[in-house]
Amino acid sequence: MSARRHSPAAVLALCWAAVFFDGFDVMVYGAGLPYMLDDAAFGLDAATAGTIGSWTTLGMLLGALGCGSLTDGLGRRPVLVGCVVAFSAGSGVCAVAGSVGVFGAGRFLTGIGLGGLIPVCLAVVAEFTPAARVPLATGVLMSAYHAGGMTATGVGLWLAPGHGWRWAFAAGVLPAVVAVPLLLRLLPESPTVLWAKGRRREAAETALAYGLPDPAVAAGGPGAAPGRSGGRLRAVAALVGREHRAATLLLWLASACGLMLVYGLSTWLPQLMRASGYGLGSSVGFLMAVNAGGIVGMLLAGWVASRFGAVPVAATWFALTAVSLLLLSVRMPVPVTYVLVTVTGIWLYSASTMVYAVAGGFYPAALRAPGLGWVAGVGRLGAVLSPWLGGYLLSHGHGSWGFPVFAAAGVLGAVAVLLSRAARRRPGPDGTEAARGARTAAV
């Protein structure tokens, strides 16, 4: 066996690059939307824009649910590459779309790739990172999402006013050119997946190179042969089985609340700010500010969670998001609003991400990829609802209700996270804790 050692930080860096492009392709819709709505020749209105946003998140739901299981059979790396290709191709379709229907189809394809990518990256990072550092690594990884979102906003502000909104979507094709070659060449495959596929020597070598546990041990337990369809079905059944059911359902609810906040604000923040009386330029600028706060929040939440656990951080961040959104419903001077929007971003995005950190620490290795996939996938129901809901409120003249409605999702998310911890600690029939095999110390 090779004795050469590799740093898990390299895996984190590769996944960071992939998530950066994910964030770009998600946020470019919100950044370009005000200009699209002002493009009379294209024929897009607020209600249809909300529906297209929901098509996107419906694609994300399908991508997250499908890829979370496919990754165990096909491997993490090929699924990850396929996701990047899918959302890059979808962005290309949007750039050349001649009608609203074709544009919506492009966003649906984009959503499939976007939905599958983050659960796979989270599973890879969780597997290649020491257990005590998983919350921090999760925060660092998801900071890429907001760096990509800020870049998308900057591209929208730079290209859309002078060259048209299509060029912003054309830039979304770059991930296929930049990220795919790097992932194919440098990203290692999961030792657990390699072991399950019978490539045991390669699995052992990869585990040794990255200082990971023996894959024969890591691949044990429920779903020990995840590469087979029966193993995948057993893994999904285990998620809602007696041992994990209550916590799983609560994590699904928390994820839905978090993604309702993320995609509702990513899609509608500029329009909600315009409805509150702010100008177009500052309204789009608020999207950059909320993503700047998101980067700070990811790093802060990851660091705090590594010390105090992901559950209290997630619950606190959800509650602070609710307070901040209620404050945003009050008209303030523009400089003050920029500060408040940035602070809101600190809590809003990392609250959702810390739900993944909770789940990543809760599920054992054999259930981690499907567990994260289903937490992210079912959570997309909130993401499907929120763009439609924002479009409905704005198109019916109720834009002032937007921030209080999203604040309510923050309150519900905080409650669900706290109850999930109580559910995991509930004694089982033999008197032991139901989730004693999970890495609860980290959450």
Side-chain angles (χ1 to χ4, degrees):
M1 290 187 183
S2 171
R4 183 181 177 186
R5 298 299 294 269
H6 299 277
S7 171
V11 175
L12 176 59
L14 287 167
C15 291
W16 193 97
V19 173
F20 172 90
F21 289 117
D22 183 295
F24 181 97
D25 272 30
V26 169
M27 298 290 181
V28 74
Y29 183 53
L33 187 54
Y35 304 98
M36 296 173 65
L37 291 171
D38 289 344
D39 182 356
F42 191 56
L44 182 68
D45 57 34
T48 305
T51 300
I52 289 175
S54 293
W55 291 352
T56 307
T57 50
L58 176 61
M60 290 179 178
L61 185 153
L62 297 176
L65 295 181
C67 292
S69 296
L70 285 176
T71 184
D72 286 328
L74 300 178
R76 312 278 198 252
R77 183 169 56 192
V79 172
L80 188 55
V81 169
C83 289
V84 174
V85 171
F87 69 68
S88 297
S91 194
V93 170
C94 291
V96 301
S99 68
V100 171
V102 173
F103 182 89
R107 287 302 290 175
F108 179 76
L109 176 59
T110 298
I112 291 175
L114 295 174
L117 184 138
I118 286 182
V120 177
C121 284
L122 287 166
V124 170
V125 168
E127 185 166 9
F128 281 85
T129 301
R133 296 184 180 179
V134 168
L136 178 59
T138 301
V140 171
L141 174 68
M142 294 306 294
S143 71
Y145 180 93
H146 303 288
M150 288 184 66
T151 303
T153 305
V155 168
L157 288 171
W158 172 47
L159 288 176
H163 303 282
W165 54 266
R166 294 180 184 276
W167 283 102
F169 287 94
V173 179
L174 288 175
V177 179
V178 177
V180 167
L182 292 175
L183 293 170
L184 288 174
R185 180 176 177 82
L186 301 175
L187 185 69
E189 187 52 88
S190 159
T192 302
V193 172
L194 291 172
W195 186 272
K197 295 173 73 172
R199 297 160 60 180
R200 299 191 171 186
R201 177 182 177 86
E202 188 178 350
E205 290 176 349
T206 301
L208 180 63
Y210 285 90
L212 303 178
D214 184 349
V217 176
R228 300 172 184 171
S229 60
R232 291 196 295 271
L233 291 174
R234 285 195 298 272
V236 173
L239 297 176
V240 293
R242 183 173 185 176
E243 184 177 4
H244 301 297
R245 182 187 303 124
T248 291
L249 294 176
L250 287 164
L251 288 172
W252 288 354
L253 176 59
S255 180
C257 291
L259 292 178
M260 181 177 179
L261 291 167
V262 168
Y263 289 97
L265 272 295
S266 296
T267 302
W268 289 115
L269 180 62
Q271 291 302 109
L272 289 173
M273 301 309 285
R274 289 181 82 180
S276 297
Y278 297 93
L280 174 59
S282 60
S283 294
V284 176
F286 289 136
L287 193 59
M288 181 173 286
V290 79
N291 277 286
I295 294 175
V296 175
M298 291 298 175
L299 300 176
L300 177 64
W303 178 75
V304 176
S306 68
R307 295 172 60 87
F308 301 105
V311 168
V313 172
T316 302
W317 262 232
F318 268 120
L320 290 172
T321 298
V323 172
S324 297
L325 290 175
L326 288 175
L327 291 174
L328 279 177
S329 65
V330 180
R331 183 74 162 84
M332 301 179 187
V334 172
V336 176
T337 304
Y338 265 108
V339 173
L340 181 56
V341 168
T342 303
V343 171
T344 301
I346 292 176
W347 320 123
L348 187 150
Y349 293 107
S350 49
S352 175
T353 297
M354 285 299 106
V355 175
Y356 299 143
V358 173
F362 168 54
Y363 293 116
L367 292 179
R368 191 167 299 122
L372 285 166
W374 278 82
V375 166
V378 175
R380 299 293 173 184
L381 294 173
V384 170
L385 173 64
S386 57
W388 170 85
L389 180 60
Y392 177 85
L393 292 174
L394 286 163
S395 65
H396 286 75
H398 302 309
S400 61
W401 297 3
F403 288 122
V405 167
F406 289 124
V411 174
L412 183 58
V415 172
V417 168
L418 291 174
L419 290 178
S420 75
R421 177 166 63 179
R424 293 200 304 277
R425 289 180 174 176
R426 186 178 60 200
D430 60 352
T432 62
E433 288 186 0
R436 64 180 180 178
R439 294 181 299 172
T440 52
V443 297

